[in-house]
Amino acid sequence: MTTRHLDIPADLLEQIKASKGSTPLPTEMQAKLFDAAMEAKSFSYSPYSKFPVGAAVLSESGAVFLGCNVENASYGGAICGERTAFVKAVSEGARKFVAVAVVTDLKSFASPCGFCRQFMVEFGKDLQVYLCQADGSIQFHVLRDLLPHSFGPEDLETFNAQ
């Protein structure tokens, strides 16, 4: 898997930032993010749960990082697809993100687990979250709505300022 790149017009990026994530990506960009997440899902290592997950994280630079779930016989050593994608992105220098797409084989939309939501909020509550079904259906959310009353870096800044 290699990093992909989506051309995000600067004015659209500014519009998304100003809207605190509530301005969705254009449909064609959502489709490209979906395709990347589907590809990531194909690499899932899920012999125990048989529940493959793929994720694609879009950074502000337009780079797209893929991740899949990787299970472990000890169960606790498993990592979700969302966190895999973010870890890959951060390990390559990305720190600011626009969106994440998550896809499973369910016939309903699967939302990131609580651990992944908390992990993602580290990089901003305005993150766009696209829940995707294998048939191409996409549901749009903003992370702040999926994890209300979250604890993030700004809370530590407030504490440290006391």
Side-chain angles (χ1 to χ4, degrees):
M1 286 189 288
T2 60
T3 303
R4 281 115 182 101
H5 199 279
L6 294 182
D7 291 321
I8 306 173
D11 59 330
L12 173 61
L13 185 57
E14 288 307 313
Q15 183 181 3
I16 290 170
K17 285 183 193 177
S19 75
K20 299 208 177 279
S22 63
T23 299
L25 292 170
T27 305
E28 66 273 6
M29 285 187 176
Q30 290 180 34
K32 288 179 182 179
L33 209 53
F34 165 80
D35 289 343
M38 283 292 288
E39 180 182 348
K41 182 174 67 78
S42 74
F43 295 106
S44 170
Y45 179 74
S46 48
Y48 308 106
S49 71
K50 309 284 191 268
F51 188 75
V53 178
V57 177
L58 174 63
S59 71
E60 281 190 359
S61 72
V64 177
F65 300 88
L66 307 187
C68 64
N69 57 324
V70 179
E71 295 180 350
N72 186 280
S74 72
Y75 295 105
I79 185 169
C80 300
E82 299 91 315
R83 285 183 283 138
T84 299
F86 275 91
V87 167
K88 287 174 65 177
V90 170
S91 71
E92 293 190 28
R95 297 290 188 277
K96 295 184 179 187
F97 304 98
V98 176
V100 60
V102 181
V103 67
T104 70
D105 289 335
L106 289 178
K107 296 202 182 329
S108 59
F109 294 104
S111 185
C113 72
F115 192 13
C116 286
R117 292 176 194 199
Q118 181 61 48
F119 193 90
M120 293 186 297
V121 85
E122 179 72 16
F123 302 101
K125 296 176 183 179
D126 298 337
L127 182 74
Q128 295 185 3
V129 181
Y130 295 91
L131 307 181
C132 308
Q133 294 176 343
D135 69 1
S137 302
I138 298 175
Q139 191 179 75
F140 170 74
H141 297 275
V142 179
L143 183 57
R144 77 172 73 264
D145 299 328
L146 295 178
L147 189 62
H149 314 292
S150 64
F151 182 86
E154 65 282 354
D155 296 302
L156 291 176
E157 290 170 10
T158 301
F159 173 76
N160 291 330
Q162 293 179 358

